[in-house]
Amino acid sequence: MKRIISPSLLSADFSRLESDIRTVESAGAERLHLDVMDGNFVPNLTFGPIVINGIRKLTDCHLECHLMINNPDKYIADYADAGADTIIIHQEASANLMTDLNNIKKLNCAAGVCINPDTPIHKIESVLEIADYILVMSVFPGFGGQEFISSTLQKMRDLVERKNPQTVIAVDGGVNNNTINSVFDTGIDIVIVGSGLFSAPNIPQRFKELSIG
Ligand code: DX5
Ligand code: ZN
């Protein structure tokens, strides 16, 4: 089965973002992972809707926006307007997950929920039926280049068993040439790769290696 790799632009070179996007597109990427951080929910700051709207104008790739922000309900519409295809909010940051995910769907975006490495599956139990996308963090969010937390593999296996067949499961953090096989072996659908892709001397070659396994 084809492995789906979603490059995380957090590790791209923002001084030549368009060129990095073209590189991963021509290597075969059909999705891009955009990490939004607010300096509050996570101890780092990145970019928001203005930059995402600029990226939207550059590419037809499916844009998955990973909102590592508090009060995501206040900003969902801004990310939909900016051109997001999937909007992912954190369980830990949402006051009402069901309402927030339904609001994302009403804006014609796929609704994603993300859980940190120490958040158990039962915290998203109530939305397993309606979530379009579940993101399992395999590092604590905030920075690229961290080490994969292997205890999260069991959570991936459990979710693969329990999810609605229409829901896709993605994994984010520390995925690279060394860890990617154990992640896909759990049966999940998509891996996010940041530093494990953009730090390669030959990015298209690395994309191919990651896709083949
Ligand atoms: C981490 C972000 C990730 C990050 C992954 O908080 O959510 O998407 O870019 O980077 P790597 O693949 O380097 O762990
Ligand atoms: Zn992410």
Side-chain angles (χ1 to χ4, degrees), residues 55-194:
I55 294 170
R56 176 73 291 163
K57 291 175 184 152
L58 292 174
T59 180
D60 291 330
C61 277
H62 184 108
L63 298 182
E64 44 173 74
C65 298
H66 177 190
L67 305 189
M68 287 161 273
I69 63 174
N70 280 325
N71 306 119
D73 54 306
K74 287 189 187 165
Y75 302 100
I76 285 166
D78 295 335
Y79 289 94
D81 288 347
D85 295 298
T86 296
I87 297 178
I88 306 153
I89 59 170
H90 269 259
Q91 181 277 331
E92 303 85 3
S94 167
N96 191 329
L97 211 44
M98 184 66 89
T99 305
D100 290 347
L101 294 182
N102 277 323
N103 284 339
I104 294 172
K105 284 168 180 263
K106 280 185 202 147
L107 295 164
N108 292 321
C109 294
V113 59
C114 183
I115 47 175
N116 280 344
D118 58 355
T119 299
I121 293 176
H122 76 80
K123 297 270 187 185
I124 56 168
E125 190 86 56
S126 62
V127 295
L128 284 182
E129 273 306 306
I130 67 140
D132 297 304
Y133 177 114
I134 299 171
L135 185 61
V136 179
M137 289 309 300
S138 41
V139 299
F140 283 89
F143 300 92
Q146 301 182 75
E147 197 175 328
F148 183 80
I149 301 172
S150 33
S151 58
T152 58
L153 288 166
Q154 190 54 45
K155 200 191 288 183
M156 297 169 206
R157 289 185 205 106
D158 292 345
L159 272 169
V160 167
E161 272 202 7
R162 298 179 53 186
K163 69 163 190 158
N164 172 337
Q166 270 96 56
T167 308
V168 294
I169 303 184
V171 173
D172 189 8
V175 180
N176 55 36
N177 263 346
N178 300 323
T179 55
I180 194 164
N181 287 346
S182 62
V183 175
F184 273 120
D185 282 349
T186 66
I188 61 90
D189 308 286
I190 299 173
V191 297
I192 317 308
V193 189

